[in-house]
Short mmCIF file of all heavy atoms in Angstrom, two decimals:
data_model
loop_
_atom_site.label_atom_id
_atom_site.label_comp_id
_atom_site.label_asym_id
_atom_site.label_seq_id
_atom_site.Cartn_x
_atom_site.Cartn_y
_atom_site.Cartn_z
N PHE B 186 -1.29 2.02 8.76
CA PHE B 186 -1.95 1.04 7.90
C PHE B 186 -1.87 1.51 6.45
O PHE B 186 -1.93 2.71 6.18
CB PHE B 186 -3.42 0.89 8.31
CG PHE B 186 -3.63 0.06 9.55
CD1 PHE B 186 -2.59 -0.23 10.41
CD2 PHE B 186 -4.87 -0.43 9.87
CE1 PHE B 186 -2.76 -0.99 11.55
CE2 PHE B 186 -5.08 -1.19 11.00
CZ PHE B 186 -4.03 -1.47 11.85
N ILE B 187 -1.83 0.54 5.54
CA ILE B 187 -1.66 0.92 4.14
C ILE B 187 -2.96 1.47 3.56
O ILE B 187 -4.06 1.11 3.99
CB ILE B 187 -1.16 -0.27 3.28
CG1 ILE B 187 -2.12 -1.46 3.33
CG2 ILE B 187 0.25 -0.65 3.67
CD1 ILE B 187 -1.83 -2.52 2.29
N ASP B 188 -2.79 2.32 2.58
CA ASP B 188 -3.91 2.93 1.87
C ASP B 188 -4.23 2.03 0.68
O ASP B 188 -3.73 2.23 -0.42
CB ASP B 188 -3.49 4.33 1.42
CG ASP B 188 -4.63 5.10 0.77
OD1 ASP B 188 -5.79 4.68 0.93
OD2 ASP B 188 -4.35 6.12 0.10
N PHE B 189 -5.07 1.03 0.94
CA PHE B 189 -5.42 0.08 -0.11
C PHE B 189 -6.92 -0.18 0.02
O PHE B 189 -7.39 -0.66 1.05
CB PHE B 189 -4.64 -1.23 0.07
CG PHE B 189 -4.82 -2.20 -1.06
CD1 PHE B 189 -3.83 -2.42 -2.00
CD2 PHE B 189 -6.01 -2.92 -1.21
CE1 PHE B 189 -4.01 -3.31 -3.05
CE2 PHE B 189 -6.20 -3.80 -2.24
CZ PHE B 189 -5.20 -4.00 -3.17
N GLY B 190 -7.64 0.13 -1.02
CA GLY B 190 -9.08 -0.15 -1.02
C GLY B 190 -9.80 0.62 0.08
O GLY B 190 -9.33 1.65 0.56
N LYS B 191 -10.95 0.09 0.47
CA LYS B 191 -11.80 0.80 1.43
C LYS B 191 -11.62 0.31 2.86
O LYS B 191 -12.09 0.94 3.79
CB LYS B 191 -13.27 0.60 1.03
CG LYS B 191 -13.68 1.33 -0.22
CD LYS B 191 -13.89 2.79 0.03
CE LYS B 191 -15.21 2.99 0.79
NZ LYS B 191 -15.44 4.40 1.06
N GLN B 192 -10.97 -0.84 3.04
CA GLN B 192 -10.99 -1.40 4.39
C GLN B 192 -9.63 -1.57 5.04
O GLN B 192 -9.57 -1.74 6.25
CB GLN B 192 -11.69 -2.77 4.36
CG GLN B 192 -13.13 -2.66 3.92
CD GLN B 192 -13.97 -3.80 4.48
OE1 GLN B 192 -13.61 -4.42 5.46
NE2 GLN B 192 -15.10 -4.04 3.86
N MET B 193 -8.56 -1.53 4.26
CA MET B 193 -7.27 -1.87 4.86
C MET B 193 -6.75 -0.76 5.79
O MET B 193 -5.90 -1.00 6.63
CB MET B 193 -6.23 -2.18 3.78
CG MET B 193 -6.50 -3.47 3.02
SD MET B 193 -6.82 -4.91 4.07
CE MET B 193 -5.22 -5.20 4.81
N GLN B 194 -7.24 0.46 5.62
CA GLN B 194 -6.82 1.54 6.52
C GLN B 194 -7.50 1.44 7.87
O GLN B 194 -7.08 2.06 8.83
CB GLN B 194 -7.20 2.88 5.94
CG GLN B 194 -6.46 3.30 4.71
CD GLN B 194 -6.81 4.72 4.38
OE1 GLN B 194 -6.54 5.64 5.14
NE2 GLN B 194 -7.43 4.92 3.25
N THR B 195 -8.60 0.70 7.88
CA THR B 195 -9.48 0.71 9.04
C THR B 195 -9.04 -0.31 10.09
O THR B 195 -8.66 -1.41 9.75
CB THR B 195 -10.90 0.37 8.58
OG1 THR B 195 -11.21 1.19 7.45
CG2 THR B 195 -11.91 0.60 9.67
N HIS B 196 -9.14 0.09 11.34
CA HIS B 196 -8.86 -0.86 12.42
C HIS B 196 -10.04 -1.82 12.53
O HIS B 196 -11.18 -1.46 12.26
CB HIS B 196 -8.64 -0.12 13.74
CG HIS B 196 -7.33 0.59 13.78
ND1 HIS B 196 -6.39 0.38 14.74
CD2 HIS B 196 -6.78 1.50 12.92
CE1 HIS B 196 -5.32 1.12 14.50
NE2 HIS B 196 -5.55 1.83 13.41
N VAL B 197 -9.75 -3.03 12.99
CA VAL B 197 -10.74 -4.10 12.88
C VAL B 197 -12.00 -3.80 13.70
O VAL B 197 -13.10 -4.17 13.32
CB VAL B 197 -10.08 -5.46 13.25
CG1 VAL B 197 -9.80 -5.56 14.74
CG2 VAL B 197 -10.91 -6.62 12.76
N HIS B 198 -11.86 -3.08 14.80
CA HIS B 198 -13.05 -2.78 15.61
C HIS B 198 -13.99 -1.79 14.92
O HIS B 198 -15.12 -1.63 15.32
CB HIS B 198 -12.65 -2.25 17.00
CG HIS B 198 -12.03 -0.88 16.96
ND1 HIS B 198 -12.78 0.26 16.86
CD2 HIS B 198 -10.75 -0.48 16.99
CE1 HIS B 198 -11.98 1.30 16.84
NE2 HIS B 198 -10.74 0.89 16.91
N GLU B 199 -13.48 -1.12 13.87
CA GLU B 199 -14.31 -0.12 13.19
C GLU B 199 -15.03 -0.69 11.97
O GLU B 199 -15.78 0.03 11.31
CB GLU B 199 -13.43 1.05 12.72
CG GLU B 199 -12.88 1.86 13.86
CD GLU B 199 -12.12 3.07 13.37
OE1 GLU B 199 -11.29 2.93 12.47
OE2 GLU B 199 -12.37 4.16 13.89
N LEU B 200 -14.76 -1.94 11.64
CA LEU B 200 -15.38 -2.52 10.45
C LEU B 200 -16.88 -2.70 10.62
O LEU B 200 -17.40 -2.73 11.73
CB LEU B 200 -14.75 -3.89 10.16
CG LEU B 200 -13.26 -3.91 9.84
CD1 LEU B 200 -12.76 -5.34 9.85
CD2 LEU B 200 -13.01 -3.26 8.49
N ARG B 201 -17.56 -2.86 9.50
CA ARG B 201 -19.00 -3.17 9.54
C ARG B 201 -19.23 -4.61 9.95
O ARG B 201 -20.29 -5.00 10.37
CB ARG B 201 -19.63 -2.96 8.16
CG ARG B 201 -19.42 -1.63 7.55
CD ARG B 201 -19.83 -1.57 6.09
NE ARG B 201 -20.20 -2.83 5.52
CZ ARG B 201 -19.34 -3.70 4.99
NH1 ARG B 201 -18.06 -3.44 4.95
NH2 ARG B 201 -19.76 -4.83 4.47
N THR B 202 -18.19 -5.43 9.77
CA THR B 202 -18.28 -6.86 10.02
C THR B 202 -17.30 -7.25 11.13
O THR B 202 -16.52 -6.42 11.59
CB THR B 202 -17.90 -7.62 8.74
OG1 THR B 202 -16.67 -7.08 8.24
CG2 THR B 202 -18.98 -7.47 7.67
N LEU B 203 -17.36 -8.53 11.53
CA LEU B 203 -16.47 -8.98 12.61
C LEU B 203 -15.01 -8.95 12.21
O LEU B 203 -14.14 -8.58 13.00
CB LEU B 203 -16.81 -10.43 12.99
CG LEU B 203 -18.11 -10.66 13.74
CD1 LEU B 203 -18.33 -12.15 13.93
CD2 LEU B 203 -18.08 -9.96 15.09
N GLU B 204 -14.75 -9.38 10.96
CA GLU B 204 -13.38 -9.45 10.47
C GLU B 204 -13.32 -8.76 9.11
O GLU B 204 -14.35 -8.50 8.49
CB GLU B 204 -12.95 -10.92 10.28
CG GLU B 204 -13.19 -11.83 11.46
CD GLU B 204 -12.20 -11.60 12.59
OE1 GLU B 204 -11.24 -10.84 12.40
OE2 GLU B 204 -12.42 -12.18 13.68
N ARG B 205 -12.11 -8.57 8.64
CA ARG B 205 -11.95 -8.07 7.28
C ARG B 205 -12.39 -9.15 6.29
O ARG B 205 -12.34 -10.34 6.62
CB ARG B 205 -10.47 -7.74 7.03
CG ARG B 205 -10.20 -6.28 6.83
CD ARG B 205 -8.73 -6.03 6.69
NE ARG B 205 -8.14 -5.74 7.98
CZ ARG B 205 -8.22 -4.57 8.60
NH1 ARG B 205 -8.85 -3.57 8.04
NH2 ARG B 205 -7.66 -4.37 9.77
N PRO B 206 -12.86 -8.78 5.10
CA PRO B 206 -13.29 -9.79 4.14
C PRO B 206 -12.18 -10.80 3.83
O PRO B 206 -10.99 -10.47 3.85
CB PRO B 206 -13.64 -8.96 2.90
CG PRO B 206 -13.99 -7.62 3.43
CD PRO B 206 -13.09 -7.42 4.61
N LEU B 207 -12.61 -12.01 3.52
CA LEU B 207 -11.68 -13.12 3.30
C LEU B 207 -10.64 -12.82 2.23
O LEU B 207 -9.46 -13.17 2.38
CB LEU B 207 -12.50 -14.38 2.90
CG LEU B 207 -11.71 -15.66 2.66
CD1 LEU B 207 -10.99 -16.09 3.92
CD2 LEU B 207 -12.64 -16.76 2.17
N VAL B 208 -11.05 -12.17 1.17
CA VAL B 208 -10.10 -11.92 0.08
C VAL B 208 -8.98 -10.97 0.53
O VAL B 208 -7.82 -11.14 0.14
CB VAL B 208 -10.83 -11.36 -1.17
CG1 VAL B 208 -11.49 -10.02 -0.90
CG2 VAL B 208 -9.87 -11.25 -2.34
N LEU B 209 -9.29 -10.03 1.39
CA LEU B 209 -8.26 -9.12 1.90
C LEU B 209 -7.34 -9.86 2.87
O LEU B 209 -6.12 -9.69 2.84
CB LEU B 209 -8.90 -7.92 2.60
CG LEU B 209 -9.76 -7.00 1.73
CD1 LEU B 209 -10.38 -5.89 2.57
CD2 LEU B 209 -8.94 -6.39 0.61
N ARG B 210 -7.95 -10.70 3.71
CA ARG B 210 -7.14 -11.46 4.67
C ARG B 210 -6.19 -12.41 3.92
O ARG B 210 -5.06 -12.63 4.35
CB ARG B 210 -8.04 -12.29 5.60
CG ARG B 210 -9.05 -11.48 6.38
CD ARG B 210 -9.53 -12.23 7.62
NE ARG B 210 -10.09 -13.54 7.39
CZ ARG B 210 -11.39 -13.80 7.17
NH1 ARG B 210 -12.25 -12.80 7.15
NH2 ARG B 210 -11.82 -15.04 7.01
N THR B 211 -6.67 -12.96 2.81
CA THR B 211 -5.88 -13.96 2.10
C THR B 211 -4.74 -13.34 1.30
O THR B 211 -3.61 -13.82 1.34
CB THR B 211 -6.79 -14.75 1.14
OG1 THR B 211 -7.87 -15.29 1.89
CG2 THR B 211 -6.03 -15.88 0.47
N TYR B 212 -5.01 -12.27 0.58
CA TYR B 212 -3.99 -11.72 -0.32
C TYR B 212 -3.11 -10.65 0.32
O TYR B 212 -1.99 -10.43 -0.12
CB TYR B 212 -4.65 -11.13 -1.57
CG TYR B 212 -5.34 -12.15 -2.45
CD1 TYR B 212 -6.31 -11.79 -3.35
CD2 TYR B 212 -5.01 -13.50 -2.37
CE1 TYR B 212 -6.95 -12.71 -4.15
CE2 TYR B 212 -5.65 -14.45 -3.16
CZ TYR B 212 -6.61 -14.04 -4.05
OH TYR B 212 -7.24 -14.98 -4.82
N LEU B 213 -3.67 -9.95 1.32
CA LEU B 213 -2.89 -8.87 1.93
C LEU B 213 -2.53 -9.15 3.39
O LEU B 213 -1.42 -8.84 3.82
CB LEU B 213 -3.67 -7.55 1.86
CG LEU B 213 -3.91 -7.00 0.45
CD1 LEU B 213 -4.93 -5.87 0.49
CD2 LEU B 213 -2.62 -6.49 -0.15
N GLY B 214 -3.47 -9.74 4.12
CA GLY B 214 -3.24 -10.01 5.53
C GLY B 214 -4.33 -9.40 6.38
O GLY B 214 -5.06 -8.51 5.93
#
Side-chain angles (χ1 to χ4, degrees):
Chain B
F186 283 15
I187 59 168
D188 185 16
F189 187 105
K191 290 282 286 180
Q192 297 207 20
M193 292 310 291
Q194 291 189 63
T195 311
H196 287 237
V197 72
H198 69 79
E199 292 185 312
L200 297 169
R201 306 169 353 274
T202 49
L203 288 176
E204 309 285 353
R205 246 176 269 281
L207 181 62
V208 63
L209 297 177
R210 303 201 304 269
T211 305
Y212 295 159
L213 295 168

